[in-house]
Amino acid sequence: MKNTWYLLLLACFSTSCKSYMISTIAADSPAEMTSNGVFKLENDSVRITYNFSGMDAPLKIDIYNKLNDPVYVNWNNSALIIKEKAFSFIQSDIKISGNTSTVSENNRRSFYNYSEGSLNALAQLPNNEGFIPPSSQITREITVLDASGYDPIEKSEYKSAAWNYTDGTGVVYVKQANFDEDNSPLKFKSYITLYTLNDGKPKNFVSSGNFYVSSVARSSANPKKTSEYDGNPGNVMMTSKTTGFGKTMTGVALVGAVGGLVAADAALNDKNNSRNKSVN
């Protein structure tokens, strides 16, 4: 019973305060932004889209083959370039998860022993090339963009802004800074090498796009609950962190509450012991 109370207590105080950083992405021509905020680069051979939507700043790239012949992607010669540093698109690790179970029989006692568990592992596959059949697409996702790569933003750059809650209950006030390409705190470039086969020989071509952060907002409210970012637009990436206040209050609450629970448990044990003595 005592252990159950401890577990319940930890669950009750597991929540804490968070702050959110929301970055809006813009792109140079020839990249075009679609109605849902996804960026598109297109030529006669392929259509490549860039989607930054989601928490922890993922980048999802879809490459569609418009030709009647296969298109290949050379991931070895492709990268996301941030501040003159190249981050490879190659992801050699894949996660494996599943369930395991075993059954054994004891003939002398005629009963079954059953056990179950979970399987989690990491496997490595060579995926330095991508194969795209005609009229189909492949997807690749990486996570290399984060706040640590930003240039410092002066506090004076931030201005107050009001965002509406999607449920119409009111507004949340945030601090927001806007930038153009020249003074953006983060600029990056995508460089993707592709090729087709002509008489068995590769014919290379490159697709590249230039991107930059056009605004940064900081909020204590989850931006997904505001109408400004309803629908997870593809040109918005988000990160979150637990604030110092949330960490401190969670620790104080846990220490105080656990101490109170231990004291209450000890008092209950003393009371039970007194009853047992009187009965004896």
Side-chain angles (χ1 to χ4, degrees), residues 30-231:
E32 300 178 3
M33 189 172 71
T34 63
S35 59
N36 60 351
V38 174
F39 294 99
K40 178 177 65 174
L41 282 164
E42 190 168 10
N43 57 29
D44 293 337
S45 302
V46 295
R47 180 176 65 247
I48 304 178
T49 58
Y50 295 82
N51 190 336
F52 300 90
S53 174
M55 192 62 68
D56 299 325
L59 169 56
K60 187 176 78 169
I61 300 175
D62 294 329
I63 305 177
Y64 179 82
N65 179 8
K66 299 168 63 176
L67 301 177
N68 294 323
D69 297 308
V71 170
Y72 302 85
V73 185
N74 186 336
W75 294 118
N76 271 334
N77 295 337
S78 303
L80 193 70
I81 304 167
I82 306 173
K83 294 183 177 180
E84 300 181 350
K85 184 177 180 180
F87 294 87
S88 176
F89 284 123
I90 293 179
Q91 295 176 313
S92 59
D93 293 340
I94 62 171
K95 292 182 179 180
I96 301 174
S97 61
N99 298 316
T100 61
S101 61
T102 58
V103 178
S104 61
E105 181 181 2
N106 189 320
N107 292 325
R108 290 181 299 175
R109 297 185 179 180
S110 299
F111 70 89
Y112 289 94
N113 292 323
Y114 175 78
S115 63
E116 63 179 355
S118 60
L119 170 67
N120 291 284
L122 193 67
Q124 292 187 331
L125 295 177
N127 61 349
N128 56 341
E129 283 202 356
F131 168 72
I132 315 175
S135 302
S136 63
Q137 73 176 28
I138 62 173
T139 299
R140 180 144 299 203
E141 184 171 324
I142 62 172
T143 305
V144 297
L145 298 167
D146 57 50
S148 63
Y150 285 43
D151 290 335
I153 303 174
E154 298 292 335
K155 290 184 178 180
S156 58
E157 296 283 345
Y158 288 97
K159 309 299 180 184
S160 294
W163 294 353
N164 296 304
Y165 283 112
T166 53
D167 58 7
T169 57
V171 298
V172 56
Y173 292 96
V174 303
K175 295 293 185 179
Q176 184 170 336
N178 298 318
F179 311 95
D180 55 32
E181 185 176 3
D182 292 333
N183 66 349
S184 173
L186 181 65
K187 303 174 187 178
F188 54 97
K189 179 178 181 178
S190 174
Y191 186 93
I192 299 178
T193 302
L194 308 101
Y195 67 93
T196 56
L197 292 178
N198 186 6
D199 294 330
K201 297 181 179 180
K203 182 181 179 180
N204 293 323
F205 61 99
V206 172
S207 175
S208 63
N210 295 312
F211 304 88
Y212 64 94
V213 170
S214 61
S215 74
V216 174
R218 296 185 181 275
S219 170
S220 59
N222 190 330
K224 292 183 178 181
K225 298 179 180 180
T226 62
S227 57
E228 280 73 6
Y229 296 102
D230 187 29

